[in-house]
């Protein structure tokens, strides 16, 4: 039996993780489950899985959590410090599934305990970059990618020498607007943006998929996770989301990982690593799918991948600025304050106005993040 913490237990990745745990109850003991504000759902999960502690990040919801857990023997805590303490309790495996840089501090706390970190929260790695990787090395933690593309690449790299890699190709579905003209993109609504053709995900990553910032963040994520240069990382649009990514070696062999569009596959791969476990996912029926197609991304309509590549090239604090500006722009778009095409324009504006020095520690990263957010918010109100 291994211990498990799920940071972001009430979200899409959290639910997929707990679905796998539910089917393999004897294998896991739950340490901490966390949520932003949904105290009732969190309490329900904490009771079902017999968690040691349930943490609600927004302290205003702590009284409701306490009440819902009364008599259960499960600890109820709340607020940002409690979230970090949940990560710091340590577990054999911590699934980092909070959305945005809100997940950075608790994920870093978990890294400091030296266990396995199953990382879905790409924004944390994009922002903290080298600071996070240095902590992973210092504390002997193991970072396993849950993001489907990175999990695919991780699997394709196993048993190979990264010096032999010619290309790493990240596949992108292209999102719901991949065939939309620029004029139509200008009018895209939040409801249209969150309706992803292949994947059922949280609102933020769904918008990121529509803008292609998701692939941009993933490019930066891949640059940190895999020891090949940025010039060996490329993106290809693959609307069917069956090939989750590919690695081409210098002898001309390309290895790919294929699977259904179900995050339980990469989550299971991380939970069972270096072994395998059963999942209830539907088997891949390639004859039924019939065709797999690929095309080049269009950076005219979707400038996000260009911005992300430039940010990765610049390094230091620049990816943290890009990420923070994007988080604010996505929230503004979802709130109906800016248009869809303003998201990338606004990120580019923030990148042009703010060039902080490379962060040396977590508090530097958080400072850059908060300053970039403030600048992005000012742009929203002046638009
Ligand atoms: P989601 O919105 O469904 O869930 C987010 C979780 O984080 C929830 O439990 C929520 O309560 C918590 N949360 C939100 N804001 C918080 C805050 N300020 N403080 C503390 N907790 C907070 O998101 P998701 O789709 O599950 O995505 C989670 C992460 O996984 C994201 O970084 C996303 O990019 C990544 N990811 C998701 C998918 C997917 O299929 N959903 C695939 C790959 C990667
Ligand atoms: Mg992905």
């Amino acid at each position: 039996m291994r211990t498990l913490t799920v940071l972001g237990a009430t979200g899409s990745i959290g639910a997929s993780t707990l679905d796998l745990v539910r089917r393999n109850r004897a294998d896991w003991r739950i340490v901490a489950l966390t949520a932003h504000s949904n105290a009732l759902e969190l309490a329900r999960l904490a009771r079902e899985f017999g968690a040691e502690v349930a943490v609600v990040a927004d302290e205003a919801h702590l009284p409701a959590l306490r009440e819902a857990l009364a008599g259960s023997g499960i600890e109820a805590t709340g607020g940002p410090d409690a979230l970090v303490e949940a990560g710091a309790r340590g577990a054999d495996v911590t699934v980092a599934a909070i959305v945005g840089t809100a997940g950075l501090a608790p994920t870093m706390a978990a890294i400091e305990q030296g266990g396995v970190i199953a990382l879905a929260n790409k924004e944390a790695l994009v922002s903290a970059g080298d600071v996070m990787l240095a902590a992973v090395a210092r504390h002997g933690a193991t970072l396993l990618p849950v993001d489907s593309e990175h999990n695919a690449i991780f699997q394709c790299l196993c048993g190979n020498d990264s010096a032999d890699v010619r290309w790493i190709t990240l596949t992108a579905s292209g999102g719901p607007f991949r065939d939309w003209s620029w004029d139509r993109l200008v009018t895209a609504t939040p409801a249209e943006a969150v309706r992803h053709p292949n994947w059922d995900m949280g609102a933020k990553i769904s918008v990121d998929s529509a803008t292609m910032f998701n692939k941009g963040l993933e490019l930066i994520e891949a640059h940190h996770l895999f020891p090949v240069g940025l010039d060996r990382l490329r993106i290809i649009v693959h609307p069917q989301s069956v090939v989750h990514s590919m690695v081409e070696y210098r002898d001309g062999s390309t290895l790919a990982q294929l699977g259904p569009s179900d995050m339980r596959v990469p989550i299971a791969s991380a939970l069972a690593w270096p072994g395998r476990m059963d999942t209830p996912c539907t088997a891949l029926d390639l004859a039924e799918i019939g065709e797999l197609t690929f095309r080049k991304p269009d950076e005219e309509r979707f400038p996000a991948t260009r911005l992300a590549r430039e940010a990765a090239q610049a390094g230091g604090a620049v990816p943290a600025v890009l990420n923070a500006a994007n988080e604010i722009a996505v929230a503004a778009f979802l709130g109906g304050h800016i248009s869809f095409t303003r998201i990338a324009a606004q990120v580019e504006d923030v990148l042009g106005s703010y060039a902080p020095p490379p962060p040396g520690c977590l508090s530097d990263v958080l400072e850059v993040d908060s300053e970039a957010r403030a600048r992005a918010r000012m742009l929203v109100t002046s638009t």
Side-chain angles (χ1 to χ4, degrees), residues 307-344:
L307 294 174
R309 187 176 286 279
E310 288 167 5
Q313 250 146 11
V318 181
V321 174
L322 172 128
N323 175 70
N326 180 54
E327 286 192 32
I328 295 300
V330 169
F333 168 69
L334 286 171
H337 305 299
I338 63 170
S339 68
F340 180 76
T341 47
R342 275 296 298 161
I343 299 174

Side-chain angles (χ1 to χ4, degrees), residues 7-16 34-38 56-58 83 96-103 106 119-124 146-149 199-206 208 214 217-218 221 262-263:
L7 303 170
T10 54
S12 164
I13 294 289
S16 294
T34 83
H36 178 239
S37 53
N38 192 344
V56 72
D58 182 346
L83 200 59
I98 291 175
V99 59
T101 41
L119 185 79
N121 182 198
K122 66 192 83 184
E123 297 92 345
V146 163
D147 214 347
S148 55
E149 297 76 2
W199 299 90
D200 180 13
M201 310 182 286
K204 195 265 176 179
I205 184 177
S206 298
D208 283 346
N214 184 47
L217 297 174
E218 290 183 357
E221 183 185 11
D262 187 327
M263 286 305 293

